[in-house]
Amino acid sequence: MPADCFRHEALGVVFQVRDKRLEVLLWQRAEPPFEGAWALPGGTLRADERLGASASRHLAAKVDIPEIAHLEQLETRSDPARDPRERVLATAYLALVAPESRPRLPADTAWHPVDQLPDCAFDHASIIGSARERLRAKLSYTNIGFAIAPETFTISRLRDTYAAALGHPVSATNLQRILTRRGVIEPTADVSRPASNGGRPATVYRFAVRELVITNPFAAFRPGAVS
């Protein structure tokens, strides 16, 4: 490859809320550099494909994810020293998977809590951090929660989902008020099963739209007391 030409790779930052934690999908490298470290799924961009198609192709080759609820371009990394072998540009994509999805994983691939990352290869830990910041920001001004929440849910379940993604406690009362006022969520005709302690059944909600829309460009969720 000529000295002024660089390999370009597409990476996928796949997030899923699992057991009230935001987790990321990583695979363990078996060869140098960073042998034994964990990396984002991805690979080289072909000359005849777009970046988004490349990211989707590499994800499909690495793990069987039935459906990605949301996929968007995150950022491009161009540090000449990010790969010790040669100069490699990397464009990362944020991919969100619904909690009901349980993709089949190969032996070298696993989910890891974003707050407790293992040793990561290259600059992948930093890219994961950027992806989480993007998700946090979009939770405040879009309806992107539809991509990480169940299709239907109680407000307490949605609170746990938002808290996992944001990384801080969320008030269920405030969450319901804000998202209802913005038209992000709407009640269904269903109610949850009565609680074991005899409490009243809770209303079941759903997202009004299951594709990304801006709901309030000036809003921001901030840490607050647990409801």
Side-chain angles (χ1 to χ4, degrees):
M1 182 180 295
D4 58 349
C5 293
F6 314 120
R7 186 163 63 88
H8 199 145
E9 62 182 8
L11 301 173
V13 185
V14 184
F15 283 159
Q16 184 179 45
V17 175
R18 303 166 58 88
D19 300 323
K20 300 184 181 181
R21 300 186 303 187
L22 183 66
E23 301 195 352
V24 62
L25 192 65
L26 300 173
W27 68 279
Q28 191 168 33
R29 292 179 59 84
E31 300 178 357
F34 303 103
E35 182 177 1
W38 292 82
L40 294 167
T44 302
L45 173 70
R46 291 175 178 168
D48 62 347
E49 69 181 348
R50 297 175 180 271
L51 278 164
S54 181
S56 297
R57 174 173 62 84
H58 287 297
L59 283 175
K62 190 62 184 174
V63 61
D64 179 21
I65 300 178
E67 182 179 358
I68 295 176
H70 177 74
L71 180 72
E72 68 175 64
Q73 189 174 130
L74 177 64
E75 62 184 14
T76 296
R77 295 292 179 99
S78 59
D79 184 344
R82 61 177 303 274
D83 189 320
R85 298 166 295 184
E86 60 179 327
R87 184 165 192 191
V88 181
L89 304 183
T91 296
Y93 279 76
L94 171 63
L96 303 178
V97 179
E100 299 93 342
S101 179
R102 286 296 181 263
R104 292 175 292 177
L105 305 182
D108 64 352
T109 305
W111 294 98
H112 295 267
V114 173
D115 290 330
Q116 299 173 350
L117 290 177
D119 291 335
C120 291
F122 308 104
D123 51 1
H124 291 189
S126 176
I127 293 174
I128 294 167
S130 295
R132 185 175 198 180
E133 288 306 312
R134 171 72 65 83
L135 177 58
R136 282 171 167 165
K138 286 206 162 182
L139 283 170
S140 71
Y141 67 88
T142 76
N143 67 334
I144 202 169
F146 78 87
I148 57 173
E151 186 170 349
T152 60
F153 46 83
T154 62
I155 292 299
S156 62
R157 175 72 184 274
L158 188 64
R159 173 199 60 199
D160 292 341
T161 298
Y162 270 64
L166 292 168
H168 62 70
V170 174
S171 164
T173 301
N174 289 342
L175 185 67
Q176 179 182 8
R177 176 176 54 82
I178 292 170
L179 296 186
T180 301
R181 184 182 66 208
R182 296 180 190 170
V184 175
I185 61 174
E186 60 188 13
T188 69
D190 298 329
V191 294
S192 66
R193 294 179 179 179
S196 58
N197 60 6
R200 295 174 56 188
T203 301
V204 173
Y205 288 79
R206 66 188 172 205
F207 278 85
V209 178
R210 298 193 64 83
E211 60 183 26
L212 189 68
V213 295
I214 294 175
T215 57
N216 189 332
F218 306 107
F221 286 107
R222 303 187 184 280
V226 180
S227 175

